[in-house]
């Protein structure tokens, strides 16, 4: 889509213009009220420093308010533009198309297609997930909808204009497989990527070199870590996440000053990203989403 496309999202326009973008990841509520979500969104809006929020889809395989519904509520109530996550874990292909068509009618344009945490890590250990398609297949669904047809090739009443992206993990256990999948996502029309949370640039540089350069704009995932035990847990228990040994050591030595160290590490990563990537996605400390504001680059 070109510069004159009236449907182009602000997020798409910012990336097209080469402007460094920042987004904060937030989780929808676990209950049936969006009052707290909208209070948070308004607080972030009032800061004057938040233009985009990405909204998780049943993060850690725990049922929350639908990411698209939550995002539409945020966009109705504030000037913030959202990037809702969508996983094929919980929904059939027909259900995914239905969700996407409704989201498009509600004015949502940005989507992050993700595989999603497996059900057995969360509250539904007996669930096997739906996964009629994976995140690559989800990109293909949006690619088809944008061209005016369903996944099965049937014409739809009105084409969509989704600006969709994908996750990428330079620290994946199987880098060759991650490279293959990332290239398939790009072939399926992905327009941007957000990395798994990273703690240095060594693996990012290696991954980029293997790719022969990033084919689409990439945002760095930045996790605001607040303690040494959390740094250890991320490194040892989250598949595909690596907290560099020197970073773990900084947290170990920090002791009671670990939160200040976490902020320092996050800001260092943001500064590096400003020189090398298209933007950052900040994951705030647990139950302290406003703390993400301290990580964002200076306006």
């Amino acid at each position: 889509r070109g510069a004159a496309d009236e449907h182009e999202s602000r997020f798409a326009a910012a990336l097209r213009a080469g402007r460094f973008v920042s987004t904060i990841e937030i989780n929808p509520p676990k209950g049936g009220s969006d009052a707290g979500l909208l209070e948070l969104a308004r607080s972030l809006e009032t800061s004057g420093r938040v233009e985009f929020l990405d909204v998780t889809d049943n993060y850690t395989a725990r049922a929350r308010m639908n990411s698209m519904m939550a995002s539409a509520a945020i966009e109705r109530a504030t000037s913030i533009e959202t990037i809702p996550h969508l996983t094929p874990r919980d929904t059939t292909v027909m259900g995914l198309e239905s969700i996407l068509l409704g989201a498009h009618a509600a004015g949502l344009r940005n989507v992050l297609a993700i595989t999603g945490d497996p059900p057995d890590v969360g509250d539904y250990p007996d669930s096997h997930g739906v996964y009629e398609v994976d995140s690559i297949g989800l990109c293909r669904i949006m690619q088809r909808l944008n061209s005016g047809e369903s996944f099965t090739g049937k014409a739809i009443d009105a084409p969509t204009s989704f600006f969709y992206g994908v996750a990428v993990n330079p620290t994946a256990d199987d880098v060759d497989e991650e490279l293959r999948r990332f290239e398939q996502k790009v072939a399926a029309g992905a327009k941007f990527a957000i990395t798994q949370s990273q703690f240095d640039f060594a693996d990012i540089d290696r991954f980029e070199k293997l790719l022969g350069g990033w084919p689409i704009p990439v945002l760095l995932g930045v996790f605001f870590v607040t303690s040494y035990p959390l740094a250890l847990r991320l490194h040892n228990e989250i598949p595909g996440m690596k907290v560099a040994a020197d970073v773990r050591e900084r947290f170990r030595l920090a002791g009671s000053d670990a939160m200040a160290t976490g902020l320092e590490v996050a800001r260092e990563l943001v500064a590096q990203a400003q020189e090398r990537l298209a933007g950052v996605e900040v994951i705030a400390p647990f139950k302290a989403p406003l703390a993400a504001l301290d990580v964002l680059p200076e306006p």
Side-chain angles (χ1 to χ4, degrees):
R1 298 194 309 279
D5 188 341
E6 63 179 337
H7 299 297
E8 185 178 42
S9 69
R10 294 203 314 268
F11 181 64
L15 289 176
R16 179 175 50 77
R19 181 162 64 83
F20 190 82
V21 297
S22 305
T23 176
I24 296 174
E25 180 183 284
I26 62 171
N27 297 315
K30 292 180 180 176
S33 169
D34 63 7
L37 175 78
L38 297 183
E39 181 183 359
L40 169 61
R42 290 187 183 106
S43 295
L44 292 168
E45 179 185 35
T46 301
S47 75
R49 303 186 62 200
V50 179
E51 192 176 357
F52 308 110
L53 289 175
D54 57 295
V55 183
T56 62
D57 185 12
N58 291 340
Y59 175 65
T60 64
R62 289 174 170 83
R64 294 175 179 270
M65 187 177 292
N66 177 272
S67 62
M68 298 292 188
M69 298 286 281
S71 295
I74 290 169
E75 293 203 4
R76 282 195 303 269
T78 72
S79 62
I80 291 173
E81 191 172 276
T82 59
I83 309 163
H85 298 194
L86 184 60
T87 170
R89 175 193 57 216
D90 308 323
T91 315
T92 63
V93 167
M94 182 169 65
L96 290 165
E97 288 188 351
S98 178
I99 289 167
L100 287 163
L101 293 173
H104 193 271
L108 302 180
R109 293 294 179 268
N110 310 309
V111 180
L112 183 73
I114 58 165
T115 299
D117 300 300
D120 59 6
V121 308
D123 293 339
Y124 302 88
D126 296 327
S127 173
H128 299 292
V130 179
Y131 289 122
E132 287 188 351
V133 292
D134 58 9
S135 55
I136 298 166
L138 179 53
C139 287
R140 290 176 180 146
I141 290 173
M142 288 186 278
Q143 190 175 40
R144 296 264 180 99
L145 293 177
N146 280 356
S147 69
E149 63 182 30
S150 72
F151 192 60
T152 58
K154 294 185 182 297
I156 60 174
D157 292 343
T160 59
S161 52
F162 286 115
F163 182 75
Y164 57 94
V166 294
V168 62
N169 185 9
T171 53
D173 295 331
D174 186 341
V175 172
D176 288 340
E177 174 70 359
E178 187 70 10
L179 282 164
R180 184 185 67 81
R181 287 182 57 80
F182 182 67
E183 288 169 345
Q184 286 183 308
K185 292 171 182 178
V186 173
K191 297 294 191 292
F192 68 95
I194 300 179
T195 74
Q196 164 77 287
S197 297
Q198 304 290 303
F199 291 89
D200 65 23
F201 269 79
D203 289 293
I204 297 173
D205 290 343
R206 179 180 58 140
F207 197 86
E208 182 182 6
K209 186 174 181 181
L210 289 168
L211 275 173
W214 293 111
I216 54 178
V218 176
L219 280 67
L220 176 72
V222 178
F223 200 124
F224 186 163
V225 176
T226 54
S227 71
Y228 177 54
L230 176 56
L232 285 181
R233 190 158 70 248
L234 294 174
H235 182 72
N236 294 323
E237 298 178 20
I238 306 300
M241 190 180 290
K242 297 177 184 176
V243 182
D246 61 314
V247 176
R248 299 199 304 273
E249 182 66 5
R250 285 172 69 178
F251 279 107
R252 188 185 71 80
L253 294 173
S256 60
D257 291 330
M259 187 150 184
T261 296
L263 179 58
E264 190 176 77
V265 168
R267 283 177 169 169
E268 289 168 5
L269 288 164
V270 169
Q272 287 181 279
Q274 284 181 286
E275 298 175 358
R276 304 162 75 165
L277 296 175
V280 289
E281 176 218 52
V282 179
I283 301 174
F286 182 58
K287 292 188 176 178
L290 292 174
L293 292 171
D294 297 329
V295 178
L296 296 182
E298 292 301 319

